Amino acid sequence: MREVKCQWCGSKGVKKEMLCEAKPTGKYNKNGTEKYIRKYFHDKCYVQYEKDKAFKEKEANEFDELYLYLKDLHRLEGLSKRMIERLQDLRNGTVKYQSQKVKRYKKGVPFRDILDTYKYSEQQLHKARDYKQFESPWHEFAYFLSIIVSNINEVKERNRRLAQQDSIRTSVIKKQIQLQDEIDLEVKRNKNKKDELDISSLL
Ligand SMILES: [Zn+2]
């Protein structure tokens, strides 16, 4: 039986039993049929692969949003490699240990939280720009980012509190609705009883 390699775990499996993801290449065979790239996966591995793909897409979208925001904030055509690296380090949770970078993967602050913190700190950043002269875009970027890093926990805590208040509010409203429903039901029941009585009194 023909075996193919799983694109996720790298080990081989029987071709017939594996999932196949086929993508058209836009190129054509001599006989006119379109060429496909085929990737094979174990069933279980495919689930992992899909999850990973969705995660990466979400990450890319959140990064794009942050990138556009920062381009505007710093009035730049684009961010430099060095700036992007700093953002990636913050996202990944890269730490310096004895002047060596210890790399991790997506263990730091989510891009969404970084963006939230920038927005939350806007006034503070604009003020900093008013009273400080920055030598270069990089200096401004690095200075702003240090403000962001020191504000991140505050923003996280604030978001946590807001979410908590929200869930309390929701549960209070739910309870009120439930109570109202019970009252309505009771009223209806009494009314029905009365109706029954009314009818019986006529009879
Ligand atoms: Zn596999």
Side-chain angles (χ1 to χ4, degrees):
M1 258 188 273
R2 233 194 113 194
E3 287 197 325
V4 284
K5 203 170 138 185
C6 169
Q7 292 292 317
W8 182 256
C9 71
S11 65
K12 284 189 169 182
V14 178
K15 189 180 171 186
K16 271 200 291 186
E17 292 169 2
M18 289 174 82
L19 270 165
C20 175
E21 190 187 73
K23 269 191 194 149
T25 57
K27 288 180 186 154
Y28 291 87
N29 293 309
K30 275 183 189 152
N31 65 8
T33 55
E34 196 168 8
K35 280 185 181 173
Y36 281 86
I37 296 180
R38 290 186 171 81
K39 290 180 175 175
Y40 294 90
F41 300 90
H42 296 109
D43 284 4
K44 256 197 238 159
C45 292
Y46 190 72
V47 177
Q48 293 293 320
Y49 165 75
E50 286 276 275
K51 237 195 233 170
D52 181 66
K53 208 164 72 174
F55 175 76
K56 283 183 177 147
E57 262 168 38
K58 187 173 157 268
E59 282 288 309
N61 289 338
E62 289 189 14
F63 180 75
D64 283 350
E65 211 182 318
L66 177 63
Y67 186 96
L68 289 176
Y69 175 88
L70 289 177
K71 227 173 59 147
D72 273 1
L73 179 71
H74 291 291
R75 300 162 188 157
L76 294 169
E77 291 283 315
L79 303 186
S80 69
K81 253 189 176 169
R82 198 177 173 196
M83 294 171 182
I84 292 172
E85 199 185 319
R86 285 292 297 275
L87 294 172
Q88 296 288 6
D89 283 350
L90 187 57
R91 171 67 190 105
N92 288 331
T94 305
V95 284
K96 269 196 181 158
Y97 181 68
Q98 293 177 347
S99 78
Q100 289 273 318
K101 262 192 187 181
V102 180
K103 290 217 170 193
R104 295 190 286 187
Y105 182 67
K106 309 291 185 193
K107 289 280 187 287
V109 188
F111 289 128
R112 175 60 36 89
D113 290 350
I114 300 176
L115 180 59
D116 274 357
T117 310
Y118 268 102
K119 287 180 178 169
Y120 173 83
S121 314
E122 248 169 29
Q123 266 190 332
Q124 198 183 348
L125 299 175
H126 288 308
K127 254 188 214 155
R129 187 187 267 144
D130 286 345
Y131 67 74
K132 268 184 99 74
Q133 284 283 332
F134 294 106
E135 278 173 51
S136 67
W138 166 254
H139 283 96
E140 184 184 270
F141 177 87
Y143 188 83
F144 280 18
L145 193 63
S146 69
I147 293 178
I148 297 313
V149 169
S150 69
N151 284 352
I152 274 172
N153 284 333
E154 196 181 317
V155 172
K156 267 193 183 162
E157 179 56 26
R158 175 178 153 267
N159 287 347
R160 196 191 58 76
R161 260 201 324 267
L162 287 176
Q164 203 179 28
Q165 279 170 8
D166 241 26
S167 84
I168 291 172
R169 207 172 299 136
T170 312
S171 73
V172 167
I173 291 172
K174 264 190 197 155
K175 238 180 219 144
Q176 283 171 342
I177 292 174
Q178 201 187 346
L179 209 69
Q180 191 59 47
D181 281 352
E182 277 165 20
I183 293 170
D184 288 350
L185 205 69
E186 197 58 34
V187 170
K188 218 169 156 190
R189 220 180 272 142
N190 287 338
K191 197 172 163 278
N192 283 347
K193 248 188 224 157
K194 227 173 110 195
D195 285 349
E196 274 167 32
L197 280 179
D198 286 349
I199 296 168
S200 61
S201 66
L202 281 174
L203 289 175

